[in-house]
Amino acid sequence: MKYTTQMDAAKKGIVTDEMKIVAKKENMAEKDLLELIAEGKVVIPANKNHKSLNPEGVGEGLKTKINVNLGISQDCCNIEKELEKVKLAIEMKTDAIMDLSNYGKTELLRKDVIGMSTAMIGTVPMYDAIGFNNKQLKDLTVDDFFRVVEKHGQDGVDFVTIHAGLNRETARVIKENPRLTSIVSRGGSLLFAWMELNKEENPFYEHYDRLLDICEKYDITISLGDACRPGCIEDATDAVQIKELITLGELTKRAWKRNVQVMIEGPGHMALNEIKANMLLEKKLCHGAPFYVLGPLVTDVAPGYDHITAAIGGAIAASSGADFLCYVTPAEHLRLPSIEDMKEGIIAFRIAAHAGDIAKGIKGARNWDNAMSKARADLDWEAMFSLAIDSEKARKYRAESSPEHQDTCTMCGKMCSARTMKKILNNEELNI
């Protein structure tokens, strides 16, 4: 039996090769995964043209996934450096990579990234529209917008961020409800400007069926972008954000009728006490579609440390139902991230995702922690290093401060509680 997308296959009861791989990774029965995909609660972003992909599932009952952003800009256009980041991201077990290149002809980098990446690849076609069409923003036509999406599909992009919920009605709400930071989404601001300059409706909203045609053709997952995500904690959960979210819920149902997979993107910046409610709102208003959040950053005053402020929010979001976390680096709000910035962001968000999985009871999530705890109780340093989320840093710290007795560390020495209990319970001599 033929099928067009992973969702189409699931509705027809067909277990695809990608579903078999994901079910095995997630310790989930194939029939259970099939049902979740058919309902739209799980997606497997897997473009038919991405041949090197090792597929992952995103959504209800699955491990929380993390995404890494990279790409060239006008000020930093070193393609080789960005490809180094791709290699590092894959080595560090990230689940997705978004190429957010927004300068010049981005096709060469995108094709290289897709060709070498086992992780799913996402893009924001709006970033590429000006360079691809070689036009000023105001002069772009409806055909220009969709030509870029088609090209990204041909190249093998697995999911695309499309800000289709920013329609003229949402724009009215923005104007009538002034924000502290207005629109902070790059793609959203460009679309808003195009709409204002041309006095036209958002092409991705007005011609949404045309977008669905392209996504169905290549099995691209639509990541419905939150153009109106809050850019500071003051703007969180306001009328603008919720207005767009309601529209995204409507667009989700339209996509599902066409068997197009959907994720919903969310905040942004948000105080701790608002995160849980926002996760519930998204799941309710968008019918259980997987939720993809940036952070959220829980305070606005820590430039240089925003990987920490965002990971705090990310852990709470994941524990409250978010399915996919977009990492934030220490360089957020300051510059294009370096490789070292990227590494710190990945580690912070792998911690956040895992902490969220423990809290929401993902099958097997605690096994890793229990293995580490046993290694600590046994004073088995090699086992601790092998289990550490960053083995290199753990080894480095121990090597930099070597204890007199190798079964201890330099914090407690022979007064180490693990050493004491191990010796006492084993009826060994205790010499402190």
Side-chain angles (χ1 to χ4, degrees), residues 70-83:
L70 47 80
I72 57 172
S73 66
Q74 185 170 358
D75 293 308
C76 298
C77 52
N78 187 328
I79 289 178
E80 291 305 313
K81 184 68 70 176
E82 295 310 297
L83 290 177

Side-chain angles (χ1 to χ4, degrees), residues 163-310:
H163 299 96
L166 178 60
N167 56 18
R168 295 300 295 270
E169 178 61 19
T170 308
R172 179 191 64 78
V173 176
I174 291 169
K175 293 174 184 177
E176 294 180 0
N177 296 269
R179 288 173 142 190
L180 192 57
T181 55
S182 192
I183 293 178
V184 298
S185 160
R186 188 192 312 166
S189 66
L190 291 171
L191 268 173
F192 183 88
W194 184 91
M195 292 162 63
E196 290 294 302
L197 290 168
N198 290 282
K199 307 303 178 189
E200 296 284 348
E201 181 58 277
N202 177 350
F204 294 121
Y205 178 79
E206 185 174 8
H207 304 282
Y208 189 60
D209 286 329
R210 188 170 174 181
L211 174 65
L212 297 179
D213 289 340
I214 298 171
C215 292
E216 183 181 24
K217 180 178 178 181
Y218 299 101
D219 197 2
I220 304 171
T221 298
I222 301 178
S223 189
L224 285 171
D226 51 339
C228 301
R229 68 175 180 265
C232 64
I233 60 173
E234 180 65 21
D235 293 339
T237 326
D238 67 353
V240 179
Q241 179 193 335
I242 302 306
K243 171 62 179 174
E244 182 183 36
L245 187 60
I246 292 169
T247 304
L248 296 185
E250 295 167 354
L251 295 174
T252 296
K253 293 176 81 171
R254 286 177 60 185
W256 286 347
K257 287 181 180 179
R258 294 284 304 276
N259 297 319
V260 173
Q261 300 184 101
V262 175
M263 298 186 290
I264 307 297
E265 296 188 12
H269 295 236
M270 184 164 286
L272 282 168
N273 60 308
E274 295 182 49
I275 295 174
K276 185 174 182 180
N278 269 262
M279 301 306 107
L280 178 62
L281 270 175
E282 185 279 338
K283 291 290 184 177
K284 289 282 190 180
L285 294 176
C286 296
H287 323 292
F291 201 18
Y292 176 27
V293 299
L294 176 67
L297 286 77
V298 295
T299 178
D300 298 321
V301 297
Y305 298 91
D306 277 331
H307 61 310
I308 297 174
T309 60

Side-chain angles (χ1 to χ4, degrees), residues 68-70 78-89 91-92 327 329-331 335-347:
V68 163
N69 292 335
L70 47 80
N78 187 328
I79 289 178
E80 291 305 313
K81 184 68 70 176
E82 295 310 297
L83 290 177
E84 284 181 42
K85 292 179 182 177
V86 173
K87 292 175 185 175
L88 178 64
E91 288 171 5
M92 295 186 69
Y327 91 150
T329 76
R335 68 173 188 202
L336 193 76
S338 67
I339 285 180
E340 191 55 40
D341 294 330
M342 179 179 165
K343 182 176 179 179
E344 290 191 44
I346 291 171
I347 294 295

Side-chain angles (χ1 to χ4, degrees), residues 40-190:
K41 294 179 180 178
V42 166
V43 299
I44 301 179
N47 187 310
K48 296 169 184 176
N49 293 333
H50 188 178
K51 305 303 183 183
S52 60
L53 178 68
N54 186 352
E56 296 286 351
V58 179
E60 185 178 305
L62 309 188
K63 292 189 288 289
T64 305
K65 306 304 186 297
I66 69 165
N67 171 72
V68 163
N69 292 335
L70 47 80
I72 57 172
S73 66
Q74 185 170 358
D75 293 308
C76 298
C77 52
N78 187 328
I79 289 178
E80 291 305 313
K81 184 68 70 176
E82 295 310 297
L83 290 177
E84 284 181 42
K85 292 179 182 177
V86 173
K87 292 175 185 175
L88 178 64
I90 294 168
E91 288 171 5
M92 295 186 69
K93 302 177 182 178
T94 54
D95 306 293
I97 297 169
M98 288 199 78
D99 177 6
L100 303 186
S101 295
N102 61 4
Y103 174 69
K105 301 297 182 183
T106 63
E107 179 182 352
L108 290 177
L109 174 58
R110 182 168 60 252
K111 284 187 172 180
D112 282 344
V113 172
I114 292 168
M116 67 193 294
S117 178
T118 53
M120 52 186 161
I121 301 298
T123 59
V124 186
M126 186 66 207
Y127 295 175
D128 197 23
I130 294 170
F132 181 82
N133 292 290
N134 197 27
K135 291 182 178 181
Q136 284 294 331
L137 178 64
K138 181 180 186 299
D139 299 326
L140 292 173
T141 67
V142 171
D143 287 342
D144 290 334
F145 286 114
F146 287 100
R147 194 177 296 118
V148 175
V149 179
E150 179 87 34
K151 178 58 179 169
H152 284 218
Q154 290 173 351
D155 290 346
V157 171
D158 301 299
F159 65 98
V160 289
T161 292
I162 302 290
H163 299 96
L166 178 60
N167 56 18
R168 295 300 295 270
E169 178 61 19
T170 308
R172 179 191 64 78
V173 176
I174 291 169
K175 293 174 184 177
E176 294 180 0
N177 296 269
R179 288 173 142 190
L180 192 57
T181 55
S182 192
I183 293 178
V184 298
S185 160
R186 188 192 312 166
S189 66
L190 291 171

Side-chain angles (χ1 to χ4, degrees), residues 3 5-6 9 14-26 30 33 37 43-51 53-57 158 219 261:
Y3 60 89
T5 67
Q6 296 290 325
I14 301 170
V15 179
T16 66
D17 291 341
E18 291 81 8
M19 292 179 201
K20 292 176 183 176
I21 293 170
V22 170
K24 186 174 181 181
K25 286 181 178 180
E26 300 286 348
E30 290 177 0
L33 180 62
I37 295 171
V43 299
I44 301 179
N47 187 310
K48 296 169 184 176
N49 293 333
H50 188 178
K51 305 303 183 183
L53 178 68
N54 186 352
E56 296 286 351
D158 301 299
D219 197 2
Q261 300 184 101

